[in-house]
Amino acid sequence: MKKQTVYTLLIIAVVLSFFVTPLGYHAKVWLNALFSFSPVEVAVEERQTLSNYEWKLKDANWDFFNFNRSRGKVVFINFWASWHLPCAAELSDIQVLYDAYSDQIDFYIITNEERPPVEEFMAEKKFTFPVTYLLIGSPSPVETEVVPSSYIIDKKGMVVVRTDEIKDWDNKKVRDLLDRLIAEK
């Protein structure tokens, strides 16, 4: 076989691995994470305040609770889906943030999926952050049109970060922002 033919077959094998093997899935997750950037803070004069905190949700045990319990706290909200590849890339960074800030920030990692696929996904990825389940039709204080979507809300209920795409959450810029919001009175 010619060298050119071997190279061509190798390239075809690599491209096919992206579509038919688990290696391809992990490579796509890695590439999504690699090309994600830090979220942008909303300018102070453009920040919106949550209209209300009356929002019914379900926890991982399928028990109802009200978002009102987070009034006066720094809140991190992320809407995600286990089947959506960019979400898988982003959730690894969110796990790192959760590990560092779970005692100081209320985390709402929200999905509208049923429990079995979510529990399987969480176990497979070894994520330990608490999953919150969205009640379809329950009025939400934030928009939930696409996944992933994320929000950081300060203690006064102002939306400090709002993004509708994958972001890099595990970086100094985000940590500095969270530390500043936690320190505010």
Side-chain angles (χ1 to χ4, degrees):
M1 236 190 293
K2 291 183 182 180
K3 246 185 186 179
Q4 184 68 24
T5 305
V6 171
Y7 289 139
T8 302
L9 289 174
L10 261 168
I11 290 172
I12 290 170
V14 168
V15 170
L16 281 175
S17 75
F18 265 70
F19 297 104
V20 296
T21 69
L23 174 64
Y25 173 82
H26 295 295
K28 287 184 262 185
V29 168
W30 179 78
L31 284 171
N32 268 274
L34 181 66
F35 291 108
S36 64
F37 301 99
S38 187
V40 176
E41 189 173 341
V42 176
V44 175
E45 61 276 2
E46 294 176 16
R47 292 183 184 171
Q48 297 178 343
T49 304
L50 294 183
S51 58
N52 70 62
Y53 280 78
E54 294 303 320
W55 186 21
K56 290 191 188 248
L57 299 158
K58 285 185 184 178
D59 64 18
N61 298 320
W62 220 241
D63 294 324
F64 292 99
F65 70 93
N66 195 306
F67 182 67
N68 198 32
R69 71 184 187 186
S70 292
R71 185 182 296 273
K73 299 179 182 179
V74 177
V75 179
F76 181 93
I77 299 173
N78 176 267
F79 294 96
W80 67 285
S82 64
W83 52 265
H84 194 52
L85 192 117
C87 293
E90 185 175 55
L91 289 174
S92 295
D93 282 356
I94 292 171
Q95 178 67 57
V96 174
L97 275 188
Y98 175 77
D99 291 342
Y101 289 97
S102 62
D103 59 337
Q104 302 168 69
I105 295 173
D106 283 357
F107 283 82
Y108 292 87
I109 315 304
I110 303 172
T111 184
N112 65 359
E113 295 177 82
E114 294 295 323
R115 284 175 71 184
V118 170
E119 290 171 349
E120 182 181 326
F121 177 83
M122 295 290 289
E124 177 186 323
K125 302 296 181 193
K126 296 180 176 55
F127 291 141
T128 61
F129 51 76
V131 175
T132 304
Y133 293 90
L134 183 66
L135 296 175
I136 305 300
S138 178
S140 167
V142 294
E143 295 176 28
T144 60
E145 294 175 14
V146 298
V147 293
S149 290
S150 300
Y151 299 83
I152 296 177
I153 300 163
D154 70 9
K155 293 176 182 177
K156 298 173 191 154
M158 299 192 79
V159 178
V160 177
V161 171
R162 180 191 189 285
T163 180
D164 290 334
E165 53 192 36
I166 182 174
K167 292 296 178 189
D168 171 18
W169 294 104
D170 183 24
N171 64 63
K172 183 176 178 0
K173 182 178 173 183
V174 171
R175 288 174 181 266
D176 289 348
L177 170 63
L178 294 176
D179 290 340
R180 190 177 81 234
L181 294 175
I182 291 166
E184 287 178 355
K185 299 291 178 199

